[in-house]
């Protein structure tokens, strides 16, 4: 009887697909394994098996072509979590699959172009066709992407189509495997020479070849050959790599080759991991907890007796990490695993250094700046019989296969980085982690100095437990904050570029006393925009509804929405005057200004432009941590949980820009960002100092930051949210509609809103045009749906899917992009 497999494909398509399994797969396929399946007319994908059965579907099934795994790579718990994410966040399960597995585990086919040797070229070929034929004559089979790169033909598909029609080429699909295990070449003594008598005889015979004798002697020394021969046990031989032996013996590969040709030594290959194993002993540095920390740890454990989730609200530098470490130690001693989630990659370097000193190689790190090969190996290790006890990772770490999860810690739980924006699934990793922990029977600890309003509300209303750490470790005082009116300072012409006299003086004092400074400006690039001083012309992106950012170091204008780059015009294209200038300050320009004001200071910049590789951001942090940098300028990366003992001054260069965002959470986010960056100052021994520059000194968020008064911000924002019915008093779902034709989009948004009104009534706001109304040539409209907490979210999601399905079947809207963003 034929066997069938229901599978998930890594494509944004609804539902599952059924394939026929060949007889050769009988008894080998399991739920959670990957199989290669054909899709459409030519493509092949690796699909995840979710069900095996013998019921043929109502349509003709295609046959799977290859089985990739001997055991499941996705557990049943993961599949349940995937299904929940797809349902709750209104996306397809294929979207979840695509996000959940490292790229190296998601195989798909690529088109390969092959030259037809029987084709006779003639004069009718155009230059583009001739170029492709010449390339294929040199290398007869090439992938389509490689061919496009080598020929430089941008729109290559029409050219390929014409050559296909003329039978000049053929096309076939090949499954590309991006992940390949890494192998190392090892060397060992052959069986006939594993004898003391034979070995001595051999060494005597090699007297004329001093170098070969030396290499063999070095091998004996490195491998422990004498002990193995004495006990006649080859298992005692230490494995030696070819590289290790040639370096130790200072010999050429030719000497080693000669010994192998004589049959004395032999080479063999063995897979080696990309993840470095440091063999550090565990529990090297375990600091005792202070009285406050011990009380907090005990309260957390007591809370977990009655509730699964606890919020630890601890002021900056109160020692939350040390509390986490002691709780982790207790959980792994019980034989359970821990997931430690962070909002930003930049935090992992400092934290993993600290955790590795305690837990050694029991700790694994998982984030997107690691090469894909390393992420595949971390994933595979989590499936093995010896998984990591602790994983430190960013939001994607919720997709790892945990076998025995006991605790999830979500540090800086308020951070917006936990929310995935694009592409789907647009999940909130904090909330997914809570669902994951509940399913595994694990506990969850949320930690922050400035918790999200929703989490604090849940703690206040009894849904979560609440534990507080109100003092800094060692009773160091919270930083003193001075608010400086930029408007008044500018009016008196006292500004030195972006710096007020107060900030300049504080930086100078810090540098004189050998202290460090952090400056926060939430704009990267040299200037947020360029402008012609004569006519006011501003360069804008051709694909998006935004002005371009000036990057002077890269000598270009860049769109931070689609990534397009443009050359800096030598003169204004509108009026012809050479009067273009950068307007405003980005981190790049701040760095320039600092060099002029403090020429002897060592300055570094930390933003997206300077931290594109893992090594680069680790180097920036390491230099600052070891006092090779005096001033660190950065975007919000510098606000997040970093711990530097010599930072005495923090400058917030323009707080007003954070308060003017068109978002109901702008005050909450502004308070959190300012309080967090202020918390980088004076973390050890003495009180720090913060200069907060703003054009609106009367804003309530500014007063609350000065007083470090989270409770006042929480109460004020909660009252406002209650008045206008925003979270935590309701749930929000955004509906985004995109189309290349603005008139079609306006019609679509009106029709969509009318359909929603029939079901949701006054819960609908919009359609509206968002502040950024066009991105990558697509115009955007947005509808907000407010759903009360007592309403059925399952029913709401069901209706929303029905509306989306109906509207996308209408011919005039088939090319529109419609998606939901939940919470």
């Amino acid at each position: 009887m034929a066997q069938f497999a229901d599978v998930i494909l890594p494509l944004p398509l609804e539902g599952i697909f059924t394939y026929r399994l060949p007889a050769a797969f009988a008894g080998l396929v399991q739920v959670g394994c990957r199989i290669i399946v054909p899709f459409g007319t030519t493509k092949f994908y690796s699909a995840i098996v979710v069900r095996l059965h013998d019921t043929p579907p109502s349509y003709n099934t295609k046959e799977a072509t290859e089985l990739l795994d001997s055991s499941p790579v996705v557990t049943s718990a993961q599949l349940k979590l995937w299904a929940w994410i797809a349902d709750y966040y209104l996306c397809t399960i294929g979207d979840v699959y695509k996000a959940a597995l490292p790229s190296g585990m998601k195989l798909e086919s690529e088109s390969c172009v092959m030259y037809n040797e029987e084709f006779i070229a003639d004069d009718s070929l155009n230059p583009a066709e001739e170029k492709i034929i010449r390339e294929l004559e040199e290398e007869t089979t090439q992938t389509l992407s490689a061919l496009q790169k080598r020929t430089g033909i941008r729109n290559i598909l029409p050219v390929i189509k014409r050559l296909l029609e003329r039978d000049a080429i053929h096309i076939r699909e090949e499954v590309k495997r991006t992940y390949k295990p890494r192998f190392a070449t090892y060397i060992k003594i052959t069986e006939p020479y594993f004898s003391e008598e034979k070995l001595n005889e051999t060494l005597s015979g090699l007297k004329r070849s001093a170098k070969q004798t030396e290499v063999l002697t070095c091998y004996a020394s490195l491998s422990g050959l004498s002990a193995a021969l004495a006990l006649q046990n080859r298992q005692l031989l230490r494995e030696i790599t070819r590289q290790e032996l040639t370096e130790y013996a200072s010999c050429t590969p030719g000497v080693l080759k000669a010994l192998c040709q004589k049959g004395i030594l032999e080479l063999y290959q063995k897979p080696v991991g990309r993840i470095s194993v440091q063999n550090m002993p565990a529990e090297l540095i375990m600091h005792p907890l202070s009285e406050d920390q011990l009380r907090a740890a005990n309260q957390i454990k007591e809370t977990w007796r009655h509730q699964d989730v606890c919020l630890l609200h601890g002021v900056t530098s109160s020692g939350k990490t040390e509390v986490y470490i002691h709780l982790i130690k207790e959980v792994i001693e019980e034989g359970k695993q821990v997931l430690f989630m962070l909002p930003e990659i930049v935090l992992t370097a400092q934290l993993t250094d600290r955790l590795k000193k305690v837990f050694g190689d029991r700790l694994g790190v998982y984030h997107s700046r690691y090469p894909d090969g390393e992420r595949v190996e971390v994933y595979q290790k989590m499936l093995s019989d010896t998984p990591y006890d602790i994983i430190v990772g960013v939001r994607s770490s919720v997709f790892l296969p945990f076998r025995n999860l006991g605790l999830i810690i979500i540090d800086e739980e308020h951070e917006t980085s936990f929310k995935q924006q694009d592409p789907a699934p647009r999940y909130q990793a904090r909330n997914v982690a809570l669902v994951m922990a509940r399913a595994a029977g694990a506990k969850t600890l949320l930690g922050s100095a400035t918790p999200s309003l929703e989490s604090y509300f849940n703690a206040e209303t009894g849904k979560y437990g609440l534990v507080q750490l109100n003092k800094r470790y060692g009773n160091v005082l919270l930083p003193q904050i001075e608010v400086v009116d930029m408007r008044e300072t500018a009016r008196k012409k006292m500004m030195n570029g972006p710096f007020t006299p107060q900030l300049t003086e504080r930086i100078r004092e810090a540098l004189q006393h050998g202290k460090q400074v952090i400056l926060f400006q939430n704009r990267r690039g040299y200037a947020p925009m360029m402008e012609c001083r004569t006519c006011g012309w501003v360069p804008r992106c051709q694909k998006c509804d935004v002005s371009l950012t000036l990057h002077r170091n890269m000598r270009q204008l860049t769109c931070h929405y689609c990534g397009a780059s443009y050359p800096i015009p030598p003169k204004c294209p509108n009026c012809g005057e050479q009067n273009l200038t950068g307007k405003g300050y980005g981190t790049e320009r701040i760095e320039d200004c600092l060099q002029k004001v403090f020429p002897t200071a060592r300055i570094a910049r930390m933003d997206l432009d300077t931290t594109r590789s893992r090594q680069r951001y680790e180097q920036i942090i390491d230099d600052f941590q070891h006092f090779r940098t005096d001033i660190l300028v950065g975007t919000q990366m510098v606000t997040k949980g970093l711990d530097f003992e010599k930072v005495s001054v923090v400058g917030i260069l323009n707080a007003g820009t954070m308060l003017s965002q068109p978002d109901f959470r702008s005050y909450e986010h502004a308070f959190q960002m300012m309080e967090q960056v202020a918390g980088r100052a004076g973390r050890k021994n003495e009180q720090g100092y913060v200069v907060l520059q703003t054009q609106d000194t009367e804003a309530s968020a500014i007063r609350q930051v000065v007083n470090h008064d989270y409770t006042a911000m929480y109460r004020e924002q909660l009252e406002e949210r209650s008045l206008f019915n925003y979270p935590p008093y309701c749930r929000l779902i955004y509906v985004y509609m995109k189309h290349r034709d603005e008139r079609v989009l306006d019609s679509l948004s009106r029709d969509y809103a009318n359909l929603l009104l029939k079901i949701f009534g006054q819960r609908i706001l919009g359609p509206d045009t968002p502040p950024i109304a066009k991105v990558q040539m697509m115009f955007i409209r947005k509808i907000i749906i407010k759903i009360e907490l007592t309403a059925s979210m399952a029913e709401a999601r069901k209706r929303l899917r029905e509306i989306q399905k109906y509207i996308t079947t209408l011919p005039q809207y088939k090319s529109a992009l419609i998606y939901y963003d939940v919470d």
Side-chain angles (χ1 to χ4, degrees):
M1 185 181 287
Q3 192 179 30
F4 298 91
D6 292 343
V7 302
I8 305 168
L9 289 166
L11 297 168
L13 300 170
E14 288 291 345
I16 54 176
F17 298 83
T18 303
Y19 285 86
R20 190 171 65 257
L21 296 176
F25 289 8
L28 300 175
V29 183
Q30 300 175 55
V31 169
C33 286
R34 294 170 301 158
I35 56 175
I36 298 287
V37 297
F39 189 77
T41 53
T42 57
K43 297 292 283 183
F44 290 82
Y45 292 96
S46 56
I48 301 288
V49 176
V50 293
R51 180 172 167 251
L52 295 165
H53 59 94
D54 53 16
T55 308
S58 57
Y59 51 86
N60 287 329
T61 53
K62 293 179 180 180
E63 191 170 78
T65 61
E66 190 179 346
L67 173 61
L68 294 173
D69 308 303
S70 56
S71 59
V73 296
V74 180
T75 65
S76 58
Q78 284 177 288
L79 288 172
K80 285 176 187 171
L81 186 67
W82 290 11
W84 180 85
I85 292 170
D87 177 54
Y88 188 83
Y89 290 104
L90 293 165
C91 62
T92 70
I93 198 156
D95 286 322
V96 185
Y97 167 21
K98 200 158 188 180
L101 261 59
S103 298
M105 296 178 72
K106 301 188 293 277
L107 309 185
E108 61 181 80
S109 64
E110 188 172 18
S111 300
C112 284
V113 182
M114 296 174 293
Y115 181 52
N116 182 2
E117 303 282 358
E118 296 175 6
F119 175 71
I120 300 169
D122 55 34
D123 295 337
S124 63
L125 292 176
N126 66 32
E129 291 165 348
E130 280 183 6
K131 204 181 239 186
I132 288 172
I133 293 298
R134 279 200 306 272
E135 281 292 341
L136 289 171
E137 281 174 340
E138 285 184 24
E139 192 176 327
T140 55
T141 302
Q142 296 187 43
T143 64
L144 194 58
S145 56
L147 195 58
Q148 184 166 15
K149 193 174 180 180
R150 288 172 71 164
T151 58
I153 300 169
R154 273 192 172 182
N155 193 9
I156 201 170
L157 289 176
V159 189
I160 292 292
K161 188 181 177 188
R162 290 196 297 272
L163 289 171
L164 267 172
E165 288 167 354
R166 298 186 63 171
D167 204 29
I169 58 172
H170 302 302
I171 285 187
R172 73 161 186 254
E173 289 288 312
E174 283 188 358
V175 175
K176 55 179 181 181
R177 287 165 164 79
T178 53
Y179 170 74
K180 292 177 183 173
R182 184 177 285 174
F183 287 88
T185 303
Y186 284 78
I187 196 150
K188 65 181 178 181
I189 195 161
T190 58
E191 193 62 47
Y193 288 84
F194 186 67
S195 151
E196 205 163 327
E197 185 183 331
K198 184 76 172 171
L199 190 62
N200 290 332
E201 185 186 318
T202 304
L203 286 167
S204 300
L206 289 174
K207 279 179 181 175
R208 289 183 184 177
S209 178
K211 207 63 195 168
Q212 289 181 27
T213 304
E214 187 182 346
V215 169
L216 195 54
T217 307
C218 286
Y219 170 78
S221 171
L222 286 171
S223 64
L225 183 59
S226 300
L229 285 171
L231 297 169
Q232 277 299 294
N233 185 355
R234 284 185 72 94
Q235 301 296 320
L236 297 176
L237 285 173
R238 179 175 165 261
E239 290 190 296
I240 308 296
T241 66
R242 179 171 59 185
Q243 183 182 358
E244 189 180 356
L245 181 57
T246 52
E247 286 177 0
Y248 186 77
S250 302
C251 71
T252 63
V255 179
L256 205 54
K257 188 178 179 184
L259 286 168
C260 291
Q261 286 172 341
K262 288 176 179 174
I264 302 167
L265 297 176
E266 66 178 334
L267 300 176
Y268 65 100
Q269 285 208 318
K270 182 180 171 183
V272 290
R274 290 168 169 81
I275 306 160
S276 62
V277 178
Q278 298 170 347
N279 294 316
M280 294 172 69
E283 296 181 32
L284 292 181
I285 302 172
M286 194 79 177
H287 300 307
L289 294 179
S290 69
E291 191 179 322
D292 284 342
Q293 289 172 326
L294 186 61
R295 176 188 51 77
N298 289 333
Q299 284 179 354
I300 290 165
K301 287 184 281 187
E302 184 59 35
T303 299
W304 281 339
R305 292 177 182 274
H306 316 287
Q307 289 166 299
D308 291 333
V309 184
C310 181
L311 172 65
L312 174 60
H313 179 205
V315 297
T316 55
S317 196
S318 56
K320 294 186 290 295
T321 303
E322 207 60 50
V323 174
Y324 299 153
I325 287 171
H326 281 254
L327 293 171
I328 289 169
K329 184 173 180 286
E330 289 183 24
V331 171
I332 63 174
E333 280 175 352
E334 293 171 9
K336 294 184 178 178
Q337 293 171 297
V338 177
L339 170 59
F340 194 140
M341 288 176 63
L342 295 164
E344 279 282 353
I345 289 160
V346 291
L347 297 184
T348 58
Q350 269 199 327
L351 186 73
T352 49
D353 284 349
R354 174 75 191 95
L355 291 174
K356 275 197 180 288
K357 287 172 183 173
V358 182
F359 300 111
D361 293 323
R362 301 174 80 174
L363 177 88
V365 183
Y366 190 79
H367 61 60
S368 58
R369 294 282 173 95
Y370 272 41
D372 189 64
E374 288 189 27
R375 277 182 285 149
V376 170
E377 290 181 7
V378 171
Y379 191 100
Q380 289 175 338
K381 184 167 173 61
M382 294 303 287
L383 287 167
S384 72
D385 294 332
T386 55
Y388 289 113
D389 294 322
I390 311 155
I391 286 286
V392 175
V394 290
R395 62 174 177 251
S396 57
S397 56
V398 295
F399 294 118
L400 284 171
F402 290 88
R403 294 286 180 86
N404 190 15
L405 190 63
L407 172 62
I408 298 179
I409 296 172
I410 306 169
D411 196 23
E412 310 296 350
E413 67 83 31
H414 64 279
E415 278 291 346
T416 54
S417 311
F418 282 123
K419 179 74 167 74
Q420 163 75 6
Q421 299 298 336
D422 280 308
R426 295 171 180 85
Y427 65 100
Q428 165 52 271
R430 178 191 63 211
N431 298 350
V432 171
L434 291 172
V435 172
M436 180 182 171
R438 188 167 64 240
K443 303 299 182 185
T444 307
L445 179 60
L446 309 175
S448 177
T450 54
S452 63
L453 254 70
E454 287 85 349
S455 292
Y456 205 80
F457 180 79
N458 284 335
E460 275 216 324
T461 53
K463 188 175 179 182
Y464 301 164
L466 176 63
V467 174
Q468 308 233 348
L469 266 172
N470 296 320
K471 293 179 186 173
R472 283 186 150 191
Y473 184 77
N475 289 323
V476 176
L477 293 173
L478 285 164
Q480 183 183 343
I481 300 178
E482 179 182 3
V483 180
V484 183
D485 190 338
M486 292 173 70
R487 191 175 295 163
E488 184 65 17
T489 310
R491 188 183 66 79
K492 292 177 179 175
K493 294 185 170 49
M494 295 169 67
M495 294 290 290
N496 189 352
F499 312 123
T500 57
Q502 292 90 329
L503 179 58
T504 307
E505 185 55 35
R506 287 289 174 183
I507 295 173
R508 186 171 284 114
E509 284 177 11
L511 296 178
Q512 284 170 355
H513 289 94
K515 299 293 185 179
Q516 291 174 300
V517 177
I518 289 178
L519 297 181
F520 168 57
Q521 173 75 337
N522 210 19
R523 292 290 185 96
R524 63 188 173 99
Y526 186 81
M529 61 187 283
M530 279 191 88
E531 185 180 65
C532 174
R533 285 183 176 175
T534 305
C535 69
W537 175 81
V538 173
R540 302 185 74 80
C541 180
Q542 294 167 12
K543 299 176 183 177
C544 308
D545 182 26
V546 290
S547 58
L548 296 169
T549 300
L550 172 62
H551 287 257
R552 204 170 72 170
N553 290 356
M554 293 188 281
R555 296 179 183 175
Q556 64 187 26
L557 295 165
T558 303
C559 174
H560 286 174
Y561 283 82
C562 70
S565 297
Y566 304 85
I568 300 169
K571 59 184 179 180
C572 175
N574 189 49
C575 69
E577 293 290 326
Q578 291 183 329
N579 207 3
L580 289 169
T581 183
K583 197 170 182 186
Y585 290 89
T587 48
E588 202 180 296
R589 191 174 184 181
I590 302 291
E591 190 180 18
D592 271 10
C593 294
L594 280 169
Q595 292 286 10
K596 290 171 187 170
V597 181
F598 305 102
T600 60
R602 297 166 298 175
I603 300 161
R605 174 163 54 95
M606 189 159 77
D607 56 28
L608 192 61
D609 299 320
T610 62
T611 58
R612 293 194 183 274
S613 74
R614 168 177 136 207
Q615 290 78 12
R616 190 72 193 98
Y617 76 74
E618 286 180 354
Q619 187 62 54
I620 291 168
I621 290 173
D622 189 65
D623 285 347
F624 198 67
Q625 195 164 357
H626 292 93
F627 320 124
R628 293 187 288 269
T629 304
D630 301 314
I631 306 174
L632 182 63
V633 183
T635 54
Q636 57 182 321
M637 286 182 178
V638 301
T639 71
K640 299 179 181 180
L642 295 169
D643 186 13
F644 302 114
E645 65 178 79
K646 287 182 74 174
V647 174
S648 66
V649 173
V650 165
I652 300 171
L653 297 182
N654 192 347
T657 56
M658 292 181 278
L659 296 168
S660 57
Q661 299 299 314
D663 180 6
F664 73 93
R665 288 192 173 97
S666 63
Y667 260 58
E668 177 192 356
H669 288 166
F671 175 88
Q672 288 165 339
M673 216 174 285
M674 288 187 283
E675 183 66 16
Q676 288 286 344
V677 74
R680 301 315 107 207
R683 294 175 70 86
K684 301 281 192 297
N685 306 322
E686 58 188 67
Q687 187 180 24
Y689 202 90
V690 179
V691 178
L692 195 158
Q693 299 182 167
T694 180
Q695 295 182 351
D696 182 9
T697 57
E698 298 304 311
S700 58
I702 301 292
R703 291 197 310 273
Q704 289 151 5
V705 169
V706 169
N707 297 322
H708 304 287
D709 195 346
Y710 172 85
T711 307
M713 184 279 296
Y714 170 76
R715 298 277 175 234
E716 182 185 285
Q717 289 302 302
L718 209 61
E719 191 177 325
E720 196 173 289
R721 304 263 184 102
S722 174
L723 195 61
F724 295 102
N725 192 30
Y726 274 100
Y729 296 104
C730 75
R731 290 192 176 96
L732 287 187
I733 298 176
Y734 291 170
V735 186
Y736 285 99
M737 294 151 284
K738 298 182 179 181
H739 201 281
R740 288 182 179 273
D741 188 324
E742 195 167 13
R743 288 171 301 178
V744 173
L745 182 62
D746 284 332
S747 171
L748 165 65
S749 60
R750 284 193 300 270
D751 289 351
Y752 217 97
N754 288 333
L755 288 168
L756 290 170
L757 280 166
K758 288 177 184 174
I759 296 167
F760 295 97
Q762 296 308 306
R763 299 179 181 94
I764 302 298
L765 295 176
D768 293 319
T769 303
I772 309 298
K774 186 176 76 168
V775 174
Q776 290 186 314
M777 303 302 292
M778 299 283 274
F779 292 95
I780 308 167
R781 296 293 180 270
K782 175 179 163 185
I783 297 171
I784 297 176
I785 308 170
K786 293 182 177 180
I787 299 175
E788 55 270 34
L789 300 178
T790 53
S792 167
M793 275 295 282
E795 183 63 24
R797 290 195 296 269
K798 179 186 168 189
R799 296 298 186 92
L800 288 170
R801 284 191 186 277
E802 287 169 356
I803 292 171
Q804 186 181 22
K805 193 173 181 180
Y806 165 73
I807 211 98
T808 50
T809 59
L810 300 177
Q812 66 270 36
Y813 301 139
K814 274 195 171 176
S815 57
L817 177 63
I818 302 165
Y819 63 86
Y820 299 109
D821 194 352
V822 180
D823 294 343

